[in-house]
Tab-separated table of all heavy atoms in Angstrom:
chain	number	residue	atom	x	y	z
A	1	LYS	N	-2.631	8.948	-10.116
A	1	LYS	CA	-1.836	9.479	-8.983
A	1	LYS	C	-2.843	10.098	-7.919
A	1	LYS	O	-2.653	9.892	-6.796
A	1	LYS	CB	-0.842	10.504	-9.443
A	1	LYS	CG	0.044	11.043	-8.299
A	1	LYS	CD	0.994	12.051	-8.841
A	1	LYS	CE	1.891	12.577	-7.757
A	1	LYS	NZ	2.769	13.521	-8.183
A	2	ARG	N	-3.880	10.818	-8.429
A	2	ARG	CA	-4.731	11.413	-7.489
A	2	ARG	C	-5.554	10.464	-6.626
A	2	ARG	O	-5.760	10.602	-5.406
A	2	ARG	CB	-5.811	12.275	-8.223
A	2	ARG	CG	-5.316	13.734	-8.400
A	2	ARG	CD	-6.397	14.583	-9.079
A	2	ARG	NE	-6.232	14.214	-10.570
A	2	ARG	CZ	-7.115	14.616	-11.387
A	2	ARG	NH1	-8.175	15.279	-11.058
A	2	ARG	NH2	-6.931	14.240	-12.698
A	3	ASN	N	-5.917	9.279	-7.207
A	3	ASN	CA	-6.555	8.239	-6.443
A	3	ASN	C	-5.673	7.624	-5.373
A	3	ASN	O	-6.111	7.432	-4.256
A	3	ASN	CB	-7.084	7.124	-7.420
A	3	ASN	CG	-8.199	7.610	-8.227
A	3	ASN	OD1	-8.940	8.480	-7.984
A	3	ASN	ND2	-8.357	6.877	-9.419
A	4	ALA	N	-4.407	7.494	-5.720
A	4	ALA	CA	-3.453	7.001	-4.715
A	4	ALA	C	-3.309	7.973	-3.616
A	4	ALA	O	-3.287	7.568	-2.400
A	4	ALA	CB	-2.121	6.679	-5.433
A	5	GLU	N	-3.201	9.202	-3.909
A	5	GLU	CA	-3.091	10.254	-2.888
A	5	GLU	C	-4.291	10.273	-2.006
A	5	GLU	O	-4.157	10.399	-0.706
A	5	GLU	CB	-2.793	11.574	-3.540
A	5	GLU	CG	-1.458	11.738	-4.207
A	5	GLU	CD	-1.291	12.952	-5.082
A	5	GLU	OE1	-2.282	13.586	-5.449
A	5	GLU	OE2	-0.147	13.368	-5.324
A	6	LYS	N	-5.415	10.149	-2.589
A	6	LYS	CA	-6.680	10.239	-1.808
A	6	LYS	C	-6.807	9.000	-0.864
A	6	LYS	O	-7.076	9.150	0.305
A	6	LYS	CB	-7.883	10.176	-2.804
A	6	LYS	CG	-9.228	10.271	-2.103
A	6	LYS	CD	-10.345	10.302	-3.165
A	6	LYS	CE	-11.702	10.212	-2.531
A	6	LYS	NZ	-12.757	10.210	-3.513
A	7	LEU	N	-6.392	7.792	-1.272
A	7	LEU	CA	-6.433	6.589	-0.484
A	7	LEU	C	-5.366	6.721	0.639
A	7	LEU	O	-5.679	6.339	1.744
A	7	LEU	CB	-6.191	5.386	-1.319
A	7	LEU	CG	-6.124	4.020	-0.608
A	7	LEU	CD1	-7.431	3.805	0.200
A	7	LEU	CD2	-5.852	2.866	-1.506
A	8	ALA	N	-4.215	7.213	0.340
A	8	ALA	CA	-3.185	7.322	1.348
A	8	ALA	C	-3.634	8.305	2.391
A	8	ALA	O	-3.392	8.070	3.608
A	8	ALA	CB	-1.852	7.791	0.709
A	9	ARG	N	-4.285	9.365	2.070
A	9	ARG	CA	-4.757	10.283	3.115
A	9	ARG	C	-5.889	9.688	3.943
A	9	ARG	O	-5.899	9.829	5.132
A	9	ARG	CB	-5.351	11.549	2.394
A	9	ARG	CG	-4.320	12.610	1.984
A	9	ARG	CD	-4.994	13.968	1.569
A	9	ARG	NE	-5.963	13.818	0.522
A	9	ARG	CZ	-5.778	13.880	-0.789
A	9	ARG	NH1	-4.514	14.023	-1.212
A	9	ARG	NH2	-6.749	13.793	-1.631
A	10	LYS	N	-6.712	8.867	3.312
A	10	LYS	CA	-7.802	8.140	3.979
A	10	LYS	C	-7.241	7.181	4.960
A	10	LYS	O	-7.676	7.097	6.184
A	10	LYS	CB	-8.730	7.451	3.018
A	10	LYS	CG	-9.881	6.772	3.608
A	10	LYS	CD	-10.836	6.215	2.488
A	10	LYS	CE	-12.072	5.529	3.085
A	10	LYS	NZ	-12.810	4.959	2.007
A	11	LEU	N	-6.230	6.358	4.568
A	11	LEU	CA	-5.641	5.417	5.451
A	11	LEU	C	-4.855	6.130	6.601
A	11	LEU	O	-4.876	5.635	7.755
A	11	LEU	CB	-4.718	4.463	4.624
A	11	LEU	CG	-5.376	3.557	3.717
A	11	LEU	CD1	-4.412	2.846	2.807
A	11	LEU	CD2	-6.212	2.486	4.477
A	12	THR	N	-4.204	7.145	6.281
A	12	THR	CA	-3.425	7.961	7.332
A	12	THR	C	-4.432	8.490	8.366
A	12	THR	O	-4.197	8.399	9.543
A	12	THR	CB	-2.625	9.103	6.714
A	12	THR	OG1	-1.676	8.540	5.802
A	12	THR	CG2	-1.974	9.936	7.726
A	13	ALA	N	-5.627	8.969	7.883
A	13	ALA	CA	-6.613	9.393	8.862
A	13	ALA	C	-7.151	8.355	9.767
A	13	ALA	O	-7.570	8.629	10.897
A	13	ALA	CB	-7.765	10.121	8.080
A	14	LYS	N	-7.040	7.148	9.247
A	14	LYS	CA	-7.478	5.952	10.063
A	14	LYS	C	-6.417	5.504	10.993
A	14	LYS	O	-6.563	4.487	11.738
A	14	LYS	CB	-7.965	4.798	9.172
A	14	LYS	CG	-9.251	5.048	8.492
A	14	LYS	CD	-9.627	3.805	7.679
A	14	LYS	CE	-11.103	3.908	7.219
A	14	LYS	NZ	-11.573	2.632	6.773
A	15	GLY	N	-5.221	6.118	10.927
A	15	GLY	CA	-4.112	5.756	11.792
A	15	GLY	C	-3.044	4.837	11.209
A	15	GLY	O	-2.147	4.499	11.995
A	16	TYR	N	-3.215	4.543	9.977
A	16	TYR	CA	-2.172	3.764	9.241
A	16	TYR	C	-1.020	4.559	8.847
A	16	TYR	O	-1.234	5.792	8.491
A	16	TYR	CB	-2.744	3.066	8.070
A	16	TYR	CG	-3.747	1.987	8.398
A	16	TYR	CD1	-5.109	2.225	8.209
A	16	TYR	CD2	-3.368	0.705	8.859
A	16	TYR	CE1	-6.069	1.301	8.454
A	16	TYR	CE2	-4.315	-0.233	9.189
A	16	TYR	CZ	-5.630	0.034	8.956
A	16	TYR	OH	-6.643	-0.893	9.217
A	17	GLN	N	0.194	4.059	8.806
A	17	GLN	CA	1.379	4.801	8.269
A	17	GLN	C	1.423	4.485	6.739
A	17	GLN	O	1.891	3.427	6.414
A	17	GLN	CB	2.660	4.280	8.979
A	17	GLN	CG	3.873	4.899	8.492
A	17	GLN	CD	5.156	4.273	9.035
A	17	GLN	OE1	5.099	3.403	9.900
A	17	GLN	NE2	6.261	4.662	8.542
A	18	SER	N	0.857	5.329	5.899
A	18	SER	CA	0.759	5.045	4.523
A	18	SER	C	1.643	5.975	3.723
A	18	SER	O	1.949	7.104	4.135
A	18	SER	CB	-0.619	5.111	4.036
A	18	SER	OG	-1.148	6.465	4.216
A	19	TYR	N	2.083	5.479	2.522
A	19	TYR	CA	2.858	6.310	1.604
A	19	TYR	C	2.608	5.767	0.203
A	19	TYR	O	2.088	4.707	0.026
A	19	TYR	CB	4.316	6.316	1.990
A	19	TYR	CG	4.963	4.978	1.978
A	19	TYR	CD1	5.683	4.523	0.871
A	19	TYR	CD2	4.851	4.095	3.047
A	19	TYR	CE1	6.295	3.290	0.840
A	19	TYR	CE2	5.455	2.873	3.055
A	19	TYR	CZ	6.156	2.478	1.945
A	19	TYR	OH	6.770	1.237	1.901
A	20	ILE	N	2.980	6.622	-0.787
A	20	ILE	CA	2.844	6.235	-2.119
A	20	ILE	C	4.077	5.806	-2.799
A	20	ILE	O	5.146	6.436	-2.576
A	20	ILE	CB	2.192	7.417	-2.937
A	20	ILE	CG1	0.828	7.853	-2.372
A	20	ILE	CG2	2.140	7.183	-4.454
A	20	ILE	CD1	0.301	9.087	-2.927
A	21	SER	N	4.000	4.692	-3.501
A	21	SER	CA	5.168	4.166	-4.285
A	21	SER	C	4.956	4.528	-5.731
A	21	SER	O	3.928	4.152	-6.334
A	21	SER	CB	5.231	2.647	-4.137
A	21	SER	OG	6.264	2.152	-4.897
A	22	ILE	N	5.866	5.324	-6.314
A	22	ILE	CA	5.715	5.721	-7.704
A	22	ILE	C	6.133	4.552	-8.703
A	22	ILE	O	6.970	3.766	-8.371
A	22	ILE	CB	6.539	6.943	-7.987
A	22	ILE	CG1	8.050	6.799	-7.752
A	22	ILE	CG2	6.024	8.173	-7.108
A	22	ILE	CD1	8.870	7.953	-8.214
A	23	PRO	N	5.566	4.611	-9.860
A	23	PRO	CA	5.909	3.619	-10.843
A	23	PRO	C	7.398	3.674	-11.159
A	23	PRO	O	7.967	4.767	-11.360
A	23	PRO	CB	5.097	4.004	-12.158
A	23	PRO	CG	4.012	4.855	-11.580
A	23	PRO	CD	4.564	5.517	-10.340
A	24	VAL	N	8.083	2.555	-11.297
A	24	VAL	CA	9.499	2.546	-11.640
A	24	VAL	C	9.769	1.992	-13.010
A	24	VAL	O	10.816	2.303	-13.586
A	24	VAL	CB	10.354	1.794	-10.503
A	24	VAL	CG1	10.326	2.578	-9.269
A	24	VAL	CG2	9.835	0.370	-10.284
A	25	MET	N	8.869	1.105	-13.426
A	25	MET	CA	9.108	0.499	-14.839
A	25	MET	C	8.348	1.409	-15.798
A	25	MET	O	7.239	1.866	-15.473
A	25	MET	CB	8.588	-0.868	-14.781
A	25	MET	CG	9.218	-1.757	-13.850
A	25	MET	SD	11.007	-2.016	-14.029
A	25	MET	CE	11.079	-2.917	-15.559
A	26	PRO	N	8.898	1.575	-16.987
A	26	PRO	CA	8.186	2.418	-17.972
A	26	PRO	C	6.744	1.963	-18.289
A	26	PRO	O	5.871	2.811	-18.571
A	26	PRO	CB	9.036	2.321	-19.236
A	26	PRO	CG	10.380	1.929	-18.725
A	26	PRO	CD	10.093	1.116	-17.474
A	27	ARG	N	6.541	0.703	-18.272
A	27	ARG	CA	5.145	0.186	-18.583
A	27	ARG	C	4.190	0.183	-17.455
A	27	ARG	O	3.033	-0.011	-17.577
A	27	ARG	CB	5.237	-1.261	-19.134
A	27	ARG	CG	6.034	-1.378	-20.378
A	27	ARG	CD	6.021	-2.770	-20.985
A	27	ARG	NE	5.916	-3.818	-19.881
A	27	ARG	CZ	6.124	-5.038	-20.035
A	27	ARG	NH1	6.542	-5.537	-21.271
A	27	ARG	NH2	6.067	-5.888	-19.015
A	28	ASP	N	4.712	0.424	-16.192
A	28	ASP	CA	3.938	0.447	-14.992
A	28	ASP	C	3.266	1.810	-14.850
A	28	ASP	O	3.979	2.877	-14.651
A	28	ASP	CB	4.845	0.110	-13.785
A	28	ASP	CG	4.039	-0.087	-12.554
A	28	ASP	OD1	2.769	-0.068	-12.635
A	28	ASP	OD2	4.611	-0.366	-11.523
A	29	LYS	N	1.972	1.885	-14.972
A	29	LYS	CA	1.194	3.165	-14.938
A	29	LYS	C	0.560	3.411	-13.582
A	29	LYS	O	-0.144	4.420	-13.479
A	29	LYS	CB	0.261	3.138	-16.046
A	29	LYS	CG	0.917	3.035	-17.428
A	29	LYS	CD	-0.087	3.043	-18.525
A	29	LYS	CE	0.632	2.852	-19.812
A	29	LYS	NZ	-0.411	2.573	-20.958
A	30	PHE	N	0.665	2.530	-12.629
A	30	PHE	CA	-0.130	2.611	-11.444
A	30	PHE	C	0.818	3.142	-10.293
A	30	PHE	O	1.941	2.598	-10.144
A	30	PHE	CB	-0.710	1.274	-11.030
A	30	PHE	CG	-1.754	0.874	-12.055
A	30	PHE	CD1	-1.377	-0.098	-12.966
A	30	PHE	CD2	-2.965	1.444	-12.028
A	30	PHE	CE1	-2.378	-0.493	-13.888
A	30	PHE	CE2	-3.881	1.034	-12.908
A	30	PHE	CZ	-3.599	0.069	-13.913
A	31	TYR	N	0.265	3.995	-9.543
A	31	TYR	CA	0.877	4.333	-8.216
A	31	TYR	C	0.342	3.489	-7.134
A	31	TYR	O	-0.810	3.162	-7.193
A	31	TYR	CB	0.551	5.846	-7.887
A	31	TYR	CG	1.254	6.789	-8.721
A	31	TYR	CD1	0.815	7.090	-10.026
A	31	TYR	CD2	2.291	7.546	-8.268
A	31	TYR	CE1	1.449	7.977	-10.832
A	31	TYR	CE2	2.944	8.440	-9.064
A	31	TYR	CZ	2.469	8.721	-10.348
A	31	TYR	OH	3.203	9.600	-11.128
A	32	ARG	N	1.132	3.006	-6.275
A	32	ARG	CA	0.696	2.065	-5.222
A	32	ARG	C	0.711	2.689	-3.922
A	32	ARG	O	1.688	3.484	-3.584
A	32	ARG	CB	1.630	0.834	-5.287
A	32	ARG	CG	1.304	-0.083	-6.487
A	32	ARG	CD	2.404	-1.122	-6.662
A	32	ARG	NE	2.091	-2.048	-7.702
A	32	ARG	CZ	2.252	-1.757	-8.938
A	32	ARG	NH1	2.775	-0.578	-9.281
A	32	ARG	NH2	1.980	-2.642	-9.851
A	33	VAL	N	-0.257	2.481	-3.113
A	33	VAL	CA	-0.328	2.885	-1.776
A	33	VAL	C	0.197	1.807	-0.833
A	33	VAL	O	-0.290	0.694	-0.889
A	33	VAL	CB	-1.752	3.273	-1.372
A	33	VAL	CG1	-1.792	3.732	0.073
A	33	VAL	CG2	-2.296	4.394	-2.290
A	34	ARG	N	1.207	2.117	-0.065
A	34	ARG	CA	1.776	1.169	0.831
A	34	ARG	C	1.543	1.577	2.277
A	34	ARG	O	1.349	2.722	2.560
A	34	ARG	CB	3.314	1.009	0.588
A	34	ARG	CG	3.499	0.655	-0.882
A	34	ARG	CD	4.832	-0.137	-1.065
A	34	ARG	NE	4.882	-0.566	-2.432
A	34	ARG	CZ	5.628	-1.546	-2.801
A	34	ARG	NH1	6.436	-2.067	-1.904
A	34	ARG	NH2	5.754	-1.890	-4.068
A	35	VAL	N	1.451	0.594	3.116
A	35	VAL	CA	1.216	0.811	4.519
A	35	VAL	C	2.305	0.188	5.395
A	35	VAL	O	2.572	-0.937	5.228
A	35	VAL	CB	-0.160	0.231	4.890
A	35	VAL	CG1	-0.413	0.437	6.481
A	35	VAL	CG2	-1.305	0.980	4.176
A	36	GLY	N	2.854	1.043	6.248
A	36	GLY	CA	3.729	0.539	7.302
A	36	GLY	C	5.158	0.230	6.876
A	36	GLY	O	5.497	0.308	5.675
A	37	ASN	N	5.909	-0.003	7.848
A	37	ASN	CA	7.298	-0.487	7.781
A	37	ASN	C	7.497	-1.309	8.985
A	37	ASN	O	7.740	-0.903	10.067
A	37	ASN	CB	8.274	0.684	7.732
A	37	ASN	CG	9.684	0.247	7.492
A	37	ASN	OD1	9.964	-0.889	7.166
A	37	ASN	ND2	10.655	1.141	7.635
A	38	PHE	N	7.319	-2.583	8.832
A	38	PHE	CA	7.334	-3.566	9.949
A	38	PHE	C	8.575	-4.242	10.225
A	38	PHE	O	9.283	-4.612	9.301
A	38	PHE	CB	6.163	-4.549	9.773
A	38	PHE	CG	4.810	-3.848	9.498
A	38	PHE	CD1	4.298	-3.682	8.236
A	38	PHE	CD2	4.072	-3.279	10.585
A	38	PHE	CE1	3.157	-3.034	7.978
A	38	PHE	CE2	2.958	-2.674	10.344
A	38	PHE	CZ	2.451	-2.457	9.042
A	39	SER	N	8.849	-4.496	11.456
A	39	SER	CA	10.137	-5.231	11.845
A	39	SER	C	10.044	-6.728	11.744
A	39	SER	O	10.967	-7.395	11.669
A	39	SER	CB	10.559	-4.842	13.264
A	39	SER	OG	9.524	-5.197	14.127
A	40	SER	N	8.775	-7.201	11.606
A	40	SER	CA	8.548	-8.626	11.398
A	40	SER	C	7.498	-8.863	10.329
A	40	SER	O	6.551	-8.011	10.125
A	40	SER	CB	8.174	-9.277	12.706
A	40	SER	OG	6.806	-8.900	12.979
A	41	GLN	N	7.508	-10.004	9.656
A	41	GLN	CA	6.533	-10.368	8.664
A	41	GLN	C	5.192	-10.581	9.402
A	41	GLN	O	4.171	-10.236	8.763
A	41	GLN	CB	6.941	-11.636	8.023
A	41	GLN	CG	6.098	-12.006	6.847
A	41	GLN	CD	6.654	-13.127	5.956
A	41	GLN	OE1	7.743	-13.625	6.213
A	41	GLN	NE2	5.907	-13.543	5.036
A	42	ALA	N	5.144	-11.057	10.618
A	42	ALA	CA	3.954	-11.273	11.353
A	42	ALA	C	3.130	-9.869	11.517
A	42	ALA	O	1.978	-9.786	11.403
A	42	ALA	CB	4.230	-11.954	12.681
A	43	GLY	N	3.945	-8.852	11.830
A	43	GLY	CA	3.336	-7.531	12.030
A	43	GLY	C	2.714	-7.078	10.716
A	43	GLY	O	1.620	-6.480	10.799
A	44	GLY	N	3.384	-7.227	9.616
A	44	GLY	CA	2.805	-6.903	8.323
A	44	GLY	C	1.612	-7.723	7.959
A	44	GLY	O	0.604	-7.090	7.475
A	45	ALA	N	1.648	-9.033	8.287
A	45	ALA	CA	0.512	-9.924	7.979
A	45	ALA	C	-0.685	-9.513	8.785
A	45	ALA	O	-1.811	-9.573	8.315
A	45	ALA	CB	0.902	-11.302	8.323
A	46	ASN	N	-0.517	-9.050	10.085
A	46	ASN	CA	-1.651	-8.643	10.885
A	46	ASN	C	-2.324	-7.382	10.276
A	46	ASN	O	-3.537	-7.325	10.272
A	46	ASN	CB	-1.180	-8.308	12.267
A	46	ASN	CG	-0.819	-9.579	13.132
A	46	ASN	OD1	-1.305	-10.632	12.795
A	46	ASN	ND2	-0.030	-9.366	14.144
A	47	ILE	N	-1.501	-6.468	9.867
A	47	ILE	CA	-2.074	-5.228	9.250
A	47	ILE	C	-2.769	-5.544	7.887
A	47	ILE	O	-3.795	-5.003	7.590
A	47	ILE	CB	-1.033	-4.184	9.108
A	47	ILE	CG1	-0.541	-3.683	10.481
A	47	ILE	CG2	-1.602	-2.940	8.337
A	47	ILE	CD1	-1.675	-3.098	11.385
A	48	ALA	N	-2.182	-6.400	7.107
A	48	ALA	CA	-2.790	-6.800	5.798
A	48	ALA	C	-4.122	-7.440	6.073
A	48	ALA	O	-5.062	-7.246	5.400
A	48	ALA	CB	-1.857	-7.757	5.094
A	49	ALA	N	-4.170	-8.298	7.075
A	49	ALA	CA	-5.462	-9.011	7.428
A	49	ALA	C	-6.528	-7.876	7.859
A	49	ALA	O	-7.683	-7.957	7.475
A	49	ALA	CB	-5.303	-10.011	8.454
A	50	LYS	N	-6.027	-6.916	8.681
A	50	LYS	CA	-6.985	-5.794	9.124
A	50	LYS	C	-7.451	-5.067	7.961
A	50	LYS	O	-8.715	-4.769	7.900
A	50	LYS	CB	-6.290	-5.001	10.147
A	50	LYS	CG	-7.184	-4.013	10.771
A	50	LYS	CD	-6.510	-3.230	11.838
A	50	LYS	CE	-7.351	-2.098	12.411
A	50	LYS	NZ	-6.650	-1.254	13.304
A	51	LEU	N	-6.590	-4.687	7.075
A	51	LEU	CA	-6.979	-3.922	5.825
A	51	LEU	C	-7.946	-4.741	5.012
A	51	LEU	O	-8.975	-4.215	4.562
A	51	LEU	CB	-5.766	-3.526	5.031
A	51	LEU	CG	-4.891	-2.488	5.582
A	51	LEU	CD1	-3.531	-2.413	4.863
A	51	LEU	CD2	-5.625	-1.140	5.507
A	52	LYS	N	-7.722	-6.032	4.869
A	52	LYS	CA	-8.620	-6.846	4.057
A	52	LYS	C	-10.066	-6.893	4.743
A	52	LYS	O	-11.103	-6.875	4.085
A	52	LYS	CB	-8.122	-8.341	3.895
A	52	LYS	CG	-6.934	-8.316	2.951
A	52	LYS	CD	-6.411	-9.735	2.851
A	52	LYS	CE	-5.254	-9.778	1.870
A	52	LYS	NZ	-4.696	-11.173	1.769
A	53	SER	N	-10.087	-7.062	6.046
A	53	SER	CA	-11.333	-7.070	6.803
A	53	SER	C	-12.125	-5.759	6.666
A	53	SER	O	-13.332	-5.766	6.850
A	53	SER	CB	-11.147	-7.391	8.295
A	53	SER	OG	-10.620	-6.287	9.022
A	54	GLU	N	-11.397	-4.636	6.403
A	54	GLU	CA	-12.000	-3.331	6.170
A	54	GLU	C	-12.431	-3.129	4.704
A	54	GLU	O	-12.855	-2.050	4.326
A	54	GLU	CB	-11.101	-2.227	6.614
A	54	GLU	CG	-10.862	-2.224	8.122
A	54	GLU	CD	-9.916	-1.169	8.559
A	54	GLU	OE1	-9.595	-0.188	7.791
A	54	GLU	OE2	-9.393	-1.300	9.722
A	55	GLY	N	-12.187	-4.142	3.839
A	55	GLY	CA	-12.555	-4.040	2.535
A	55	GLY	C	-11.494	-3.607	1.551
A	55	GLY	O	-11.783	-3.392	0.303
A	56	TYR	N	-10.251	-3.458	1.969
A	56	TYR	CA	-9.241	-3.080	1.011
A	56	TYR	C	-8.500	-4.303	0.436
A	56	TYR	O	-8.495	-5.346	0.977
A	56	TYR	CB	-8.162	-2.206	1.883
A	56	TYR	CG	-8.678	-0.939	2.399
A	56	TYR	CD1	-9.022	-0.807	3.679
A	56	TYR	CD2	-8.808	0.134	1.478
A	56	TYR	CE1	-9.570	0.401	4.182
A	56	TYR	CE2	-9.312	1.385	2.032
A	56	TYR	CZ	-9.678	1.470	3.305
A	56	TYR	OH	-10.186	2.595	3.826
A	57	HIS	N	-7.995	-3.997	-0.709
A	57	HIS	CA	-7.165	-5.031	-1.418
A	57	HIS	C	-5.754	-4.872	-0.819
A	57	HIS	O	-5.127	-3.845	-0.879
A	57	HIS	CB	-7.090	-4.844	-2.861
A	57	HIS	CG	-6.296	-5.797	-3.592
A	57	HIS	ND1	-6.556	-7.019	-3.859
A	57	HIS	CD2	-5.001	-5.629	-4.226
A	57	HIS	CE1	-5.629	-7.657	-4.519
A	57	HIS	NE2	-4.685	-6.802	-4.701
A	58	ALA	N	-5.286	-6.003	-0.172
A	58	ALA	CA	-3.913	-5.892	0.486
A	58	ALA	C	-3.100	-7.043	0.225
A	58	ALA	O	-3.500	-8.194	0.127
A	58	ALA	CB	-4.169	-5.858	2.048
A	59	LYS	N	-1.806	-6.781	0.019
A	59	LYS	CA	-0.763	-7.834	-0.164
A	59	LYS	C	0.371	-7.578	0.725
A	59	LYS	O	0.711	-6.439	1.039
A	59	LYS	CB	-0.256	-7.809	-1.587
A	59	LYS	CG	-1.227	-8.174	-2.704
A	59	LYS	CD	-0.493	-8.287	-3.986
A	59	LYS	CE	-1.432	-8.696	-5.126
A	59	LYS	NZ	-0.747	-8.777	-6.370
A	60	LEU	N	0.928	-8.607	1.243
A	60	LEU	CA	2.127	-8.517	2.157
A	60	LEU	C	3.375	-8.527	1.193
A	60	LEU	O	3.607	-9.448	0.516
A	60	LEU	CB	2.192	-9.712	3.085
A	60	LEU	CG	3.362	-9.672	4.071
A	60	LEU	CD1	3.314	-8.398	4.955
A	60	LEU	CD2	3.306	-10.878	4.918
A	61	CYS	N	4.190	-7.420	1.303
A	61	CYS	CA	5.373	-7.296	0.530
A	61	CYS	C	6.587	-7.247	1.380
A	61	CYS	O	6.609	-6.575	2.419
A	61	CYS	CB	5.280	-6.003	-0.343
A	61	CYS	SG	3.840	-5.964	-1.525
A	62	THR	N	7.655	-7.907	0.933
A	62	THR	CA	8.913	-7.828	1.663
A	62	THR	C	9.965	-7.598	0.488
A	62	THR	O	10.032	-8.449	-0.441
A	62	THR	CB	9.302	-9.130	2.440
A	62	THR	OG1	9.185	-10.230	1.537
A	62	THR	CG2	8.296	-9.339	3.565
A	63	ASP	N	10.800	-6.629	0.649
A	63	ASP	CA	11.846	-6.320	-0.321
A	63	ASP	C	11.269	-6.290	-1.781
A	63	ASP	O	11.848	-6.913	-2.614
A	63	ASP	CB	12.992	-7.269	-0.190
A	63	ASP	CG	13.669	-7.191	1.176
A	63	ASP	OD1	13.763	-6.051	1.700
A	63	ASP	OD2	14.118	-8.211	1.637
A	64	ASP	N	10.086	-5.667	-1.945
A	64	ASP	CA	9.472	-5.544	-3.286
A	64	ASP	C	8.937	-6.870	-3.835
A	64	ASP	O	8.595	-6.924	-4.946
A	64	ASP	CB	10.343	-4.829	-4.243
A	64	ASP	CG	10.560	-3.317	-3.903
A	64	ASP	OD1	9.650	-2.793	-3.305
A	64	ASP	OD2	11.694	-2.906	-4.194
A	65	LEU	N	8.875	-7.935	-3.000
A	65	LEU	CA	8.236	-9.121	-3.427
A	65	LEU	C	6.932	-9.242	-2.683
A	65	LEU	O	6.869	-9.060	-1.465
A	65	LEU	CB	9.058	-10.348	-3.127
A	65	LEU	CG	10.488	-10.396	-3.786
A	65	LEU	CD1	11.241	-11.597	-3.257
A	65	LEU	CD2	10.326	-10.490	-5.297
A	66	CYS	N	5.805	-9.443	-3.406
A	66	CYS	CA	4.495	-9.526	-2.789
A	66	CYS	C	3.843	-10.864	-2.819
A	66	CYS	O	3.980	-11.570	-3.759
A	66	CYS	CB	3.617	-8.487	-3.462
A	66	CYS	SG	4.136	-6.824	-3.311
A	67	GLU	N	3.139	-11.162	-1.762
A	67	GLU	CA	2.407	-12.405	-1.713
A	67	GLU	C	0.921	-12.085	-1.991
A	67	GLU	O	0.338	-11.158	-1.494
A	67	GLU	CB	2.493	-13.049	-0.338
A	67	GLU	CG	3.923	-13.400	0.088
A	67	GLU	CD	3.987	-13.951	1.438
A	67	GLU	OE1	3.059	-14.015	2.148
A	67	GLU	OE2	5.147	-14.243	1.856
């Protein structure tokens, strides 16, 4: 959890709208850092590409389905 909080703060300081998604399944032990709430898939894809270019692992997710 601490690592997720640290990353979320770092991304927020860079200007991203970030938040933490808590584990929902009993076997899921990881907190996820999510960025943004986009009105279009293209907007999310642009930010995912930008995050990847900055060295972050990024996936585009829509309605909890990730690519």
Side-chain angles (χ1 to χ4, degrees):
K1 183 178 179 181
R2 273 184 278 169
N3 289 338
E5 291 169 339
K6 182 179 176 181
L7 178 57
R9 283 193 303 270
K10 185 176 180 179
L11 291 170
T12 298
K14 288 184 167 195
Y16 293 103
Q17 178 188 354
S18 64
Y19 61 98
I20 297 172
S21 175
I22 61 171
V24 291
M25 301 300 288
R27 297 184 329 194
D28 191 2
K29 298 177 183 173
F30 296 100
Y31 288 77
R32 288 170 174 77
V33 178
R34 303 209 174 198
V35 174
N37 185 9
F38 304 98
S39 59
S40 71
Q41 189 170 356
N46 288 338
I47 294 299
K50 185 175 178 187
L51 287 166
K52 286 179 184 179
S53 75
E54 293 178 15
Y56 294 102
H57 177 76
K59 290 185 179 183
L60 179 60
C61 300
T62 57
D63 298 325
D64 292 328
L65 299 175
C66 297
E67 298 175 2

